[in-house]
Amino acid sequence: MVRRYSFNSQSAPLPIRATELALAAPCRARSDLNPSKILQRMPLLPINPHISLGELAYTSLKQAILQGHFSAGQKLTVRKVAHALGVSTTPARDAIVRLIGEGALVNTGPKTVIVPSLTLATLDELTSIRLLLEGLAARTATELIASEQLDALKAVQLKINAALDEGNCAAALSANKSFHFLVYETAQMPRLVSMVDSIWVRTEPCLSDPLDFSDFRIRLRNHVEALVGLENGDKVRVQAAIEQDIHDEYRHLAKRLRERQRR
């Protein structure tokens, strides 16, 4: 039975540090640069410039949100996003619309969106859904995983350890997400993975402000358990390890939200 969390306390927004969107842009360019010229320099991109630039804009903006580069309630406009990314308003608008659909951004007007705050009530709901979806993905992946995928997971785990040793918060979080999604993608359920991804974009920013490395290291035992279960084909063990990781992350985030409430 899925554990559902509930709290009686008032929910509070979780402040996230703000930085310039331009810092996260993968294709930084002058605002007057013709998109077709960008494509000429990147011949491996799809021919259709609207699709390719829209995807780049979406990836860049989503990554910035995931890494906590925007504070809760911060306003974004199509024009500002387009200028920061060095693209026209069309791919910037497409990226924003996609992220609104995923819940990563919220519409507040005809031309303005904001980064939504995370509340305890929202965290409770998202955690309950994660337990269902990610538990299913972990169990299914155990039956389908190949040795190459298992080796890839072990390599990612080494990256997490190295990032923690270096005190690199962004790298640790990025590698942690890679670990989980390598497992979920092995389940060969693309729609499920898409749903999980949209949930992570609502909770992941809160983990980077700042990352509690001691807590993170304790949680890594869940990854070890998952790896052992995957090697032995023990789907019950893998599912339990992933669910425990979700429970541990929930306790960490809930504690942080309560601390924000008391301030």
Side-chain angles (χ1 to χ4, degrees), residues 147-177:
S147 59
E148 295 82 2
Q149 293 165 314
L150 192 56
D151 290 341
L153 279 170
K154 292 178 180 178
V156 172
Q157 186 59 47
L158 291 177
K159 290 182 179 180
I160 297 175
N161 296 338
L164 290 175
D165 290 340
E166 297 167 2
N168 190 331
C169 172
L173 288 174
S174 178
N176 179 67
K177 184 180 180 183

PDB file of all heavy atoms in Angstrom, residues 147-177:
ATOM      1  N   SER A 147      23.690  -6.219 -19.103  1.00  0.00           N
ATOM      2  CA  SER A 147      24.963  -5.992 -18.416  1.00  0.00           C
ATOM      3  C   SER A 147      25.545  -4.627 -18.753  1.00  0.00           C
ATOM      4  O   SER A 147      26.156  -3.968 -17.900  1.00  0.00           O
ATOM      5  CB  SER A 147      25.956  -7.088 -18.788  1.00  0.00           C
ATOM      6  OG  SER A 147      26.173  -7.128 -20.195  1.00  0.00           O
ATOM      7  N   GLU A 148      25.356  -4.170 -20.011  1.00  0.00           N
ATOM      8  CA  GLU A 148      25.872  -2.862 -20.403  1.00  0.00           C
ATOM      9  C   GLU A 148      25.210  -1.741 -19.607  1.00  0.00           C
ATOM     10  O   GLU A 148      25.857  -0.773 -19.196  1.00  0.00           O
ATOM     11  CB  GLU A 148      25.648  -2.625 -21.905  1.00  0.00           C
ATOM     12  CG  GLU A 148      26.417  -3.562 -22.817  1.00  0.00           C
ATOM     13  CD  GLU A 148      25.715  -4.906 -22.991  1.00  0.00           C
ATOM     14  OE1 GLU A 148      24.616  -5.082 -22.420  1.00  0.00           O
ATOM     15  OE2 GLU A 148      26.297  -5.781 -23.673  1.00  0.00           O
ATOM     16  N   GLN A 149      23.905  -1.858 -19.390  1.00  0.00           N
ATOM     17  CA  GLN A 149      23.177  -0.846 -18.626  1.00  0.00           C
ATOM     18  C   GLN A 149      23.585  -0.873 -17.160  1.00  0.00           C
ATOM     19  O   GLN A 149      23.673   0.165 -16.503  1.00  0.00           O
ATOM     20  CB  GLN A 149      21.670  -1.085 -18.775  1.00  0.00           C
ATOM     21  CG  GLN A 149      21.169  -0.844 -20.191  1.00  0.00           C
ATOM     22  CD  GLN A 149      19.782  -1.421 -20.416  1.00  0.00           C
ATOM     23  OE1 GLN A 149      19.502  -2.558 -20.043  1.00  0.00           O
ATOM     24  NE2 GLN A 149      18.910  -0.632 -21.032  1.00  0.00           N
ATOM     25  N   LEU A 150      23.846  -2.054 -16.657  1.00  0.00           N
ATOM     26  CA  LEU A 150      24.295  -2.180 -15.264  1.00  0.00           C
ATOM     27  C   LEU A 150      25.670  -1.533 -15.090  1.00  0.00           C
ATOM     28  O   LEU A 150      25.917  -0.838 -14.092  1.00  0.00           O
ATOM     29  CB  LEU A 150      24.345  -3.651 -14.871  1.00  0.00           C
ATOM     30  CG  LEU A 150      24.519  -3.976 -13.380  1.00  0.00           C
ATOM     31  CD1 LEU A 150      23.429  -3.320 -12.552  1.00  0.00           C
ATOM     32  CD2 LEU A 150      24.507  -5.494 -13.177  1.00  0.00           C
ATOM     33  N   ASP A 151      26.542  -1.733 -16.057  1.00  0.00           N
ATOM     34  CA  ASP A 151      27.863  -1.097 -16.007  1.00  0.00           C
ATOM     35  C   ASP A 151      27.735   0.425 -16.061  1.00  0.00           C
ATOM     36  O   ASP A 151      28.487   1.143 -15.385  1.00  0.00           O
ATOM     37  CB  ASP A 151      28.722  -1.583 -17.179  1.00  0.00           C
ATOM     38  CG  ASP A 151      29.149  -3.045 -17.027  1.00  0.00           C
ATOM     39  OD1 ASP A 151      29.103  -3.553 -15.892  1.00  0.00           O
ATOM     40  OD2 ASP A 151      29.508  -3.665 -18.046  1.00  0.00           O
ATOM     41  N   ALA A 152      26.800   0.903 -16.869  1.00  0.00           N
ATOM     42  CA  ALA A 152      26.581   2.349 -16.974  1.00  0.00           C
ATOM     43  C   ALA A 152      26.103   2.924 -15.643  1.00  0.00           C
ATOM     44  O   ALA A 152      26.525   4.017 -15.233  1.00  0.00           O
ATOM     45  CB  ALA A 152      25.565   2.652 -18.077  1.00  0.00           C
ATOM     46  N   LEU A 153      25.247   2.196 -14.958  1.00  0.00           N
ATOM     47  CA  LEU A 153      24.764   2.641 -13.648  1.00  0.00           C
ATOM     48  C   LEU A 153      25.897   2.716 -12.632  1.00  0.00           C
ATOM     49  O   LEU A 153      25.983   3.658 -11.843  1.00  0.00           O
ATOM     50  CB  LEU A 153      23.679   1.688 -13.146  1.00  0.00           C
ATOM     51  CG  LEU A 153      22.268   1.886 -13.695  1.00  0.00           C
ATOM     52  CD1 LEU A 153      21.374   0.721 -13.284  1.00  0.00           C
ATOM     53  CD2 LEU A 153      21.683   3.202 -13.216  1.00  0.00           C
ATOM     54  N   LYS A 154      26.780   1.729 -12.659  1.00  0.00           N
ATOM     55  CA  LYS A 154      27.915   1.730 -11.731  1.00  0.00           C
ATOM     56  C   LYS A 154      28.844   2.915 -12.017  1.00  0.00           C
ATOM     57  O   LYS A 154      29.385   3.533 -11.085  1.00  0.00           O
ATOM     58  CB  LYS A 154      28.682   0.420 -11.850  1.00  0.00           C
ATOM     59  CG  LYS A 154      27.909  -0.792 -11.339  1.00  0.00           C
ATOM     60  CD  LYS A 154      28.696  -2.075 -11.536  1.00  0.00           C
ATOM     61  CE  LYS A 154      27.921  -3.282 -11.030  1.00  0.00           C
ATOM     62  NZ  LYS A 154      28.658  -4.561 -11.259  1.00  0.00           N
ATOM     63  N   ALA A 155      29.001   3.245 -13.290  1.00  0.00           N
ATOM     64  CA  ALA A 155      29.845   4.386 -13.661  1.00  0.00           C
ATOM     65  C   ALA A 155      29.235   5.698 -13.174  1.00  0.00           C
ATOM     66  O   ALA A 155      29.943   6.592 -12.696  1.00  0.00           O
ATOM     67  CB  ALA A 155      30.024   4.422 -15.178  1.00  0.00           C
ATOM     68  N   VAL A 156      27.916   5.810 -13.265  1.00  0.00           N
ATOM     69  CA  VAL A 156      27.234   7.015 -12.783  1.00  0.00           C
ATOM     70  C   VAL A 156      27.358   7.127 -11.271  1.00  0.00           C
ATOM     71  O   VAL A 156      27.542   8.219 -10.727  1.00  0.00           O
ATOM     72  CB  VAL A 156      25.747   7.013 -13.206  1.00  0.00           C
ATOM     73  CG1 VAL A 156      25.001   8.167 -12.534  1.00  0.00           C
ATOM     74  CG2 VAL A 156      25.618   7.122 -14.707  1.00  0.00           C
ATOM     75  N   GLN A 157      27.287   5.997 -10.591  1.00  0.00           N
ATOM     76  CA  GLN A 157      27.428   6.012  -9.136  1.00  0.00           C
ATOM     77  C   GLN A 157      28.809   6.523  -8.728  1.00  0.00           C
ATOM     78  O   GLN A 157      28.946   7.259  -7.744  1.00  0.00           O
ATOM     79  CB  GLN A 157      27.197   4.612  -8.569  1.00  0.00           C
ATOM     80  CG  GLN A 157      27.185   4.544  -7.056  1.00  0.00           C
ATOM     81  CD  GLN A 157      26.112   5.439  -6.454  1.00  0.00           C
ATOM     82  OE1 GLN A 157      24.972   5.434  -6.896  1.00  0.00           O
ATOM     83  NE2 GLN A 157      26.474   6.229  -5.449  1.00  0.00           N
ATOM     84  N   LEU A 158      29.811   6.157  -9.494  1.00  0.00           N
ATOM     85  CA  LEU A 158      31.162   6.660  -9.223  1.00  0.00           C
ATOM     86  C   LEU A 158      31.229   8.173  -9.414  1.00  0.00           C
ATOM     87  O   LEU A 158      31.932   8.875  -8.674  1.00  0.00           O
ATOM     88  CB  LEU A 158      32.174   5.969 -10.141  1.00  0.00           C
ATOM     89  CG  LEU A 158      32.419   4.476  -9.872  1.00  0.00           C
ATOM     90  CD1 LEU A 158      33.381   3.905 -10.915  1.00  0.00           C
ATOM     91  CD2 LEU A 158      32.974   4.263  -8.468  1.00  0.00           C
ATOM     92  N   LYS A 159      30.484   8.688 -10.385  1.00  0.00           N
ATOM     93  CA  LYS A 159      30.432  10.137 -10.611  1.00  0.00           C
ATOM     94  C   LYS A 159      29.774  10.851  -9.430  1.00  0.00           C
ATOM     95  O   LYS A 159      30.192  11.936  -9.036  1.00  0.00           O
ATOM     96  CB  LYS A 159      29.662  10.448 -11.899  1.00  0.00           C
ATOM     97  CG  LYS A 159      30.378  10.046 -13.173  1.00  0.00           C
ATOM     98  CD  LYS A 159      29.565  10.445 -14.392  1.00  0.00           C
ATOM     99  CE  LYS A 159      30.287  10.061 -15.679  1.00  0.00           C
ATOM    100  NZ  LYS A 159      29.506  10.431 -16.889  1.00  0.00           N
ATOM    101  N   ILE A 160      28.736  10.239  -8.886  1.00  0.00           N
ATOM    102  CA  ILE A 160      28.068  10.823  -7.707  1.00  0.00           C
ATOM    103  C   ILE A 160      29.055  10.897  -6.546  1.00  0.00           C
ATOM    104  O   ILE A 160      29.173  11.931  -5.877  1.00  0.00           O
ATOM    105  CB  ILE A 160      26.840   9.986  -7.305  1.00  0.00           C
ATOM    106  CG1 ILE A 160      25.796   9.979  -8.418  1.00  0.00           C
ATOM    107  CG2 ILE A 160      26.220  10.551  -6.019  1.00  0.00           C
ATOM    108  CD1 ILE A 160      24.612   9.074  -8.135  1.00  0.00           C
ATOM    109  N   ASN A 161      29.767   9.805  -6.309  1.00  0.00           N
ATOM    110  CA  ASN A 161      30.740   9.773  -5.211  1.00  0.00           C
ATOM    111  C   ASN A 161      31.815  10.835  -5.394  1.00  0.00           C
ATOM    112  O   ASN A 161      32.199  11.522  -4.437  1.00  0.00           O
ATOM    113  CB  ASN A 161      31.382   8.385  -5.128  1.00  0.00           C
ATOM    114  CG  ASN A 161      30.382   7.295  -4.783  1.00  0.00           C
ATOM    115  OD1 ASN A 161      29.322   7.571  -4.220  1.00  0.00           O
ATOM    116  ND2 ASN A 161      30.709   6.067  -5.124  1.00  0.00           N
ATOM    117  N   ALA A 162      32.314  10.970  -6.626  1.00  0.00           N
ATOM    118  CA  ALA A 162      33.365  11.950  -6.909  1.00  0.00           C
ATOM    119  C   ALA A 162      32.854  13.371  -6.704  1.00  0.00           C
ATOM    120  O   ALA A 162      33.558  14.228  -6.151  1.00  0.00           O
ATOM    121  CB  ALA A 162      33.871  11.769  -8.339  1.00  0.00           C
ATOM    122  N   ALA A 163      31.617  13.631  -7.136  1.00  0.00           N
ATOM    123  CA  ALA A 163      31.040  14.970  -6.984  1.00  0.00           C
ATOM    124  C   ALA A 163      30.870  15.328  -5.514  1.00  0.00           C
ATOM    125  O   ALA A 163      31.117  16.469  -5.103  1.00  0.00           O
ATOM    126  CB  ALA A 163      29.696  15.050  -7.704  1.00  0.00           C
ATOM    127  N   LEU A 164      30.481  14.362  -4.699  1.00  0.00           N
ATOM    128  CA  LEU A 164      30.325  14.607  -3.268  1.00  0.00           C
ATOM    129  C   LEU A 164      31.681  14.853  -2.614  1.00  0.00           C
ATOM    130  O   LEU A 164      31.812  15.712  -1.734  1.00  0.00           O
ATOM    131  CB  LEU A 164      29.629  13.417  -2.607  1.00  0.00           C
ATOM    132  CG  LEU A 164      28.148  13.221  -2.955  1.00  0.00           C
ATOM    133  CD1 LEU A 164      27.620  11.937  -2.336  1.00  0.00           C
ATOM    134  CD2 LEU A 164      27.321  14.416  -2.496  1.00  0.00           C
ATOM    135  N   ASP A 165      32.689  14.114  -3.049  1.00  0.00           N
ATOM    136  CA  ASP A 165      34.039  14.314  -2.505  1.00  0.00           C
ATOM    137  C   ASP A 165      34.558  15.712  -2.831  1.00  0.00           C
ATOM    138  O   ASP A 165      35.278  16.320  -2.030  1.00  0.00           O
ATOM    139  CB  ASP A 165      35.003  13.273  -3.071  1.00  0.00           C
ATOM    140  CG  ASP A 165      34.723  11.877  -2.526  1.00  0.00           C
ATOM    141  OD1 ASP A 165      34.072  11.774  -1.464  1.00  0.00           O
ATOM    142  OD2 ASP A 165      35.138  10.897  -3.174  1.00  0.00           O
ATOM    143  N   GLU A 166      34.180  16.229  -3.995  1.00  0.00           N
ATOM    144  CA  GLU A 166      34.627  17.552  -4.431  1.00  0.00           C
ATOM    145  C   GLU A 166      33.725  18.670  -3.920  1.00  0.00           C
ATOM    146  O   GLU A 166      34.033  19.845  -4.094  1.00  0.00           O
ATOM    147  CB  GLU A 166      34.666  17.599  -5.963  1.00  0.00           C
ATOM    148  CG  GLU A 166      35.665  16.631  -6.585  1.00  0.00           C
ATOM    149  CD  GLU A 166      35.467  16.479  -8.083  1.00  0.00           C
ATOM    150  OE1 GLU A 166      34.569  17.180  -8.631  1.00  0.00           O
ATOM    151  OE2 GLU A 166      36.194  15.687  -8.703  1.00  0.00           O
ATOM    152  N   GLY A 167      32.596  18.310  -3.297  1.00  0.00           N
ATOM    153  CA  GLY A 167      31.657  19.320  -2.827  1.00  0.00           C
ATOM    154  C   GLY A 167      30.922  20.007  -3.955  1.00  0.00           C
ATOM    155  O   GLY A 167      30.474  21.142  -3.826  1.00  0.00           O
ATOM    156  N   ASN A 168      30.772  19.315  -5.085  1.00  0.00           N
ATOM    157  CA  ASN A 168      30.119  19.881  -6.265  1.00  0.00           C
ATOM    158  C   ASN A 168      28.641  19.520  -6.239  1.00  0.00           C
ATOM    159  O   ASN A 168      28.231  18.429  -6.662  1.00  0.00           O
ATOM    160  CB  ASN A 168      30.789  19.357  -7.533  1.00  0.00           C
ATOM    161  CG  ASN A 168      30.318  20.087  -8.785  1.00  0.00           C
ATOM    162  OD1 ASN A 168      29.201  20.576  -8.850  1.00  0.00           O
ATOM    163  ND2 ASN A 168      31.195  20.169  -9.771  1.00  0.00           N
ATOM    164  N   CYS A 169      27.813  20.442  -5.762  1.00  0.00           N
ATOM    165  CA  CYS A 169      26.380  20.209  -5.594  1.00  0.00           C
ATOM    166  C   CYS A 169      25.688  19.914  -6.916  1.00  0.00           C
ATOM    167  O   CYS A 169      24.953  18.938  -7.058  1.00  0.00           O
ATOM    168  CB  CYS A 169      25.743  21.424  -4.923  1.00  0.00           C
ATOM    169  SG  CYS A 169      23.943  21.392  -4.844  1.00  0.00           S
ATOM    170  N   ALA A 170      25.917  20.764  -7.926  1.00  0.00           N
ATOM    171  CA  ALA A 170      25.237  20.627  -9.215  1.00  0.00           C
ATOM    172  C   ALA A 170      25.575  19.295  -9.873  1.00  0.00           C
ATOM    173  O   ALA A 170      24.698  18.606 -10.406  1.00  0.00           O
ATOM    174  CB  ALA A 170      25.604  21.784 -10.136  1.00  0.00           C
ATOM    175  N   ALA A 171      26.849  18.908  -9.826  1.00  0.00           N
ATOM    176  CA  ALA A 171      27.270  17.655 -10.442  1.00  0.00           C
ATOM    177  C   ALA A 171      26.675  16.453  -9.721  1.00  0.00           C
ATOM    178  O   ALA A 171      26.281  15.459 -10.355  1.00  0.00           O
ATOM    179  CB  ALA A 171      28.788  17.558 -10.457  1.00  0.00           C
ATOM    180  N   ALA A 172      26.588  16.525  -8.395  1.00  0.00           N
ATOM    181  CA  ALA A 172      26.026  15.424  -7.618  1.00  0.00           C
ATOM    182  C   ALA A 172      24.551  15.225  -7.939  1.00  0.00           C
ATOM    183  O   ALA A 172      24.082  14.096  -8.127  1.00  0.00           O
ATOM    184  CB  ALA A 172      26.201  15.686  -6.125  1.00  0.00           C
ATOM    185  N   LEU A 173      23.804  16.320  -8.001  1.00  0.00           N
ATOM    186  CA  LEU A 173      22.379  16.235  -8.309  1.00  0.00           C
ATOM    187  C   LEU A 173      22.149  15.742  -9.732  1.00  0.00           C
ATOM    188  O   LEU A 173      21.240  14.946  -9.999  1.00  0.00           O
ATOM    189  CB  LEU A 173      21.723  17.596  -8.117  1.00  0.00           C
ATOM    190  CG  LEU A 173      21.564  18.061  -6.663  1.00  0.00           C
ATOM    191  CD1 LEU A 173      21.041  19.492  -6.618  1.00  0.00           C
ATOM    192  CD2 LEU A 173      20.624  17.130  -5.906  1.00  0.00           C
ATOM    193  N   SER A 174      22.968  16.232 -10.669  1.00  0.00           N
ATOM    194  CA  SER A 174      22.830  15.814 -12.060  1.00  0.00           C
ATOM    195  C   SER A 174      23.104  14.320 -12.215  1.00  0.00           C
ATOM    196  O   SER A 174      22.358  13.601 -12.896  1.00  0.00           O
ATOM    197  CB  SER A 174      23.792  16.621 -12.942  1.00  0.00           C
ATOM    198  OG  SER A 174      23.724  16.201 -14.287  1.00  0.00           O
ATOM    199  N   ALA A 175      24.161  13.838 -11.571  1.00  0.00           N
ATOM    200  CA  ALA A 175      24.498  12.415 -11.653  1.00  0.00           C
ATOM    201  C   ALA A 175      23.452  11.564 -10.940  1.00  0.00           C
ATOM    202  O   ALA A 175      23.140  10.449 -11.381  1.00  0.00           O
ATOM    203  CB  ALA A 175      25.882  12.171 -11.055  1.00  0.00           C
ATOM    204  N   ASN A 176      22.903  12.075  -9.842  1.00  0.00           N
ATOM    205  CA  ASN A 176      21.856  11.345  -9.132  1.00  0.00           C
ATOM    206  C   ASN A 176      20.629  11.156 -10.019  1.00  0.00           C
ATOM    207  O   ASN A 176      20.042  10.071 -10.080  1.00  0.00           O
ATOM    208  CB  ASN A 176      21.469  12.097  -7.862  1.00  0.00           C
ATOM    209  CG  ASN A 176      20.353  11.397  -7.096  1.00  0.00           C
ATOM    210  OD1 ASN A 176      20.522  10.306  -6.564  1.00  0.00           O
ATOM    211  ND2 ASN A 176      19.183  12.029  -7.046  1.00  0.00           N
ATOM    212  N   LYS A 177      20.261  12.209 -10.733  1.00  0.00           N
ATOM    213  CA  LYS A 177      19.114  12.085 -11.645  1.00  0.00           C
ATOM    214  C   LYS A 177      19.430  11.102 -12.765  1.00  0.00           C
ATOM    215  O   LYS A 177      18.578  10.302 -13.156  1.00  0.00           O
ATOM    216  CB  LYS A 177      18.748  13.444 -12.233  1.00  0.00           C
ATOM    217  CG  LYS A 177      17.496  13.373 -13.120  1.00  0.00           C
ATOM    218  CD  LYS A 177      17.101  14.706 -13.709  1.00  0.00           C
ATOM    219  CE  LYS A 177      15.852  14.533 -14.565  1.00  0.00           C
ATOM    220  NZ  LYS A 177      15.444  15.794 -15.230  1.00  0.00           N
TER     221      LYS A 177
END
